[in-house]
Amino acid sequence: MDIQHIESFWPFFQRFAIDVVVAVLILALGWTISRWLGNVVQRLSARSDRIDPTIIPMFRTVVVWSIRIFTVIAVLSQFGVQTASLIAVLGAAGLAIGLALQGTLQNIAAGIMLLGLRPLRAGESVTVAGGVSGTVDEVGLFLTRIVQADGVQVTIPNSTVWNGNIINLSRNHNRRMDILAFIRYGEDVNRAIEVLLKLLDEQPVALKMPEPSVFVSDRKDGTITLTLRVWSSAGDFTNLQNDLNRQVQMRLEQEGFQSPMPVRVAVDTGKHP
């Protein structure tokens, strides 16, 4: 009796075994093709000058998971699942999940806006919400990765980046810096300005246009404050800033100018010997 039952179910077992094998093959083939095609898209996109590097990771993700979703649907249809009903169920489930994951959807929407309007791109130096500064590594579907100057990687939700101020330090080719110098009251201001202008003229990476300038910006506490205003390319900005900060007071002292001394004001406490 048991053998007869087994024999009656044997055709079903055969069909099921064949369906399982075919489903596994479809799944393995779909996953392999999705990974291969994703890598191809990434390589071809990286070679093109017209495609922003920031959008490449998201483009690859969309291609990979689009193929994998169709693969899963093909596997389910192999077992006789009605894909139309499945799509309807997935739509309802997607609506429920979307309501539960509003924050995640905000990150996706913000990621699309960041990639569309491109206020920051991979490789650019930026300061974003929360005061995080560094080089943009990747803008993904949910998160933005920034590598700080100390090598630490910071991952920020896209919605946080999009809803805050984005300061792009390298988008423009040239940047201006203001360097402060200090001399005492009574010193020859005009000669100090000439000395500092000569210092600026000696800097090979300082731009000649707009023309560098030096002017008096403040007077208080026995100190005259001079401001050196100069432009440089974005790539040379940090080095030039460091060089001038190191050389300005040194050059003034070499030319005979004395550094200001702090002014101390005596306070009468009312106590007398």
Side-chain angles (χ1 to χ4, degrees):
M1 187 67 178
D2 293 337
I3 296 177
Q4 291 179 350
H5 279 291
I6 294 174
E7 290 178 349
S8 64
F9 281 108
W10 183 247
F12 170 77
F13 288 142
Q14 286 181 322
R15 289 195 302 271
F16 182 76
I18 293 173
D19 290 339
V20 169
V21 172
V22 173
V24 170
L25 290 176
I26 293 175
L27 193 63
L29 185 62
W31 244 249
T32 302
I33 291 176
S34 67
R35 185 168 55 251
W36 172 78
L37 191 57
N39 292 335
V40 170
V41 169
Q42 185 173 10
R43 286 197 300 269
L44 294 178
S45 300
R47 294 175 184 174
S48 176
D49 297 332
R50 298 182 179 180
I51 299 178
D52 190 339
T54 310
I55 203 174
I56 293 176
M58 182 180 289
F59 190 27
R60 179 184 184 278
T61 301
V62 170
V63 171
V64 169
W65 283 103
S66 297
I67 296 174
R68 290 180 178 179
I69 289 173
F70 283 111
T71 301
V72 171
I73 293 175
V75 169
L76 294 176
S77 65
Q78 183 65 29
F79 291 100
V81 177
Q82 295 296 325
T83 55
S85 302
L86 177 63
I87 292 173
V89 171
L90 290 176
L95 178 61
I97 294 173
L99 293 175
L101 300 177
Q102 294 183 15
T104 301
L105 293 179
Q106 288 179 358
N107 289 328
I108 296 175
I112 293 173
M113 297 299 294
L114 289 172
L115 291 171
L117 298 179
R118 297 190 294 181
L120 70 171
R121 302 174 184 172
E124 291 184 332
S125 297
V126 299
T127 299
V128 296
V132 177
S133 299
T135 303
V136 180
D137 181 48
E138 179 184 338
V139 179
L141 192 60
F142 302 97
L143 304 168
T144 296
R145 291 202 296 267
I146 294 177
V147 179
Q148 298 183 140
D150 56 2
V152 176
Q153 179 175 284
V154 181
T155 302
I156 311 171
N158 285 338
S159 58
T160 302
V161 177
W162 176 251
N163 292 327
N165 294 329
I166 301 174
I167 303 174
N168 196 316
L169 303 176
S170 56
R171 178 63 59 86
N172 294 334
H173 295 296
N174 299 331
R175 290 181 59 189
R176 192 194 77 188
M177 68 185 72
D178 288 347
I179 306 294
L180 300 182
F182 306 96
I183 59 175
R184 291 185 183 183
Y185 271 147
E187 298 279 11
D188 189 341
V189 176
N190 291 331
R191 192 169 77 86
I193 291 176
E194 291 177 0
V195 169
L196 295 176
L197 285 173
K198 182 179 179 182
L199 174 63
L200 293 179
D201 188 61
E202 294 172 358
Q203 306 303 314
V205 296
L207 299 180
K208 305 305 180 184
M209 291 298 295
E211 186 178 0
S213 62
V214 180
F215 55 90
V216 176
S217 56
D218 197 10
R219 291 174 177 265
K220 64 181 179 181
D221 298 334
T223 300
I224 300 175
T225 302
L226 302 174
T227 297
L228 294 77
R229 179 163 292 174
V230 59
W231 288 77
S232 73
S233 65
D236 295 327
F237 181 88
T238 301
N239 290 335
L240 179 59
Q241 187 180 54
N242 291 337
D243 290 342
L244 289 177
N245 281 327
R246 186 180 68 254
Q247 296 176 24
V248 163
Q249 289 301 132
M250 186 185 305
R251 177 63 62 89
L252 288 174
E253 292 177 3
Q254 291 173 352
E255 295 293 331
F257 293 91
Q258 297 182 353
S259 299
M261 299 295 292
V263 177
R264 297 182 179 180
V265 179
V267 178
D268 188 356
T269 61
K271 297 180 179 180
H272 301 281

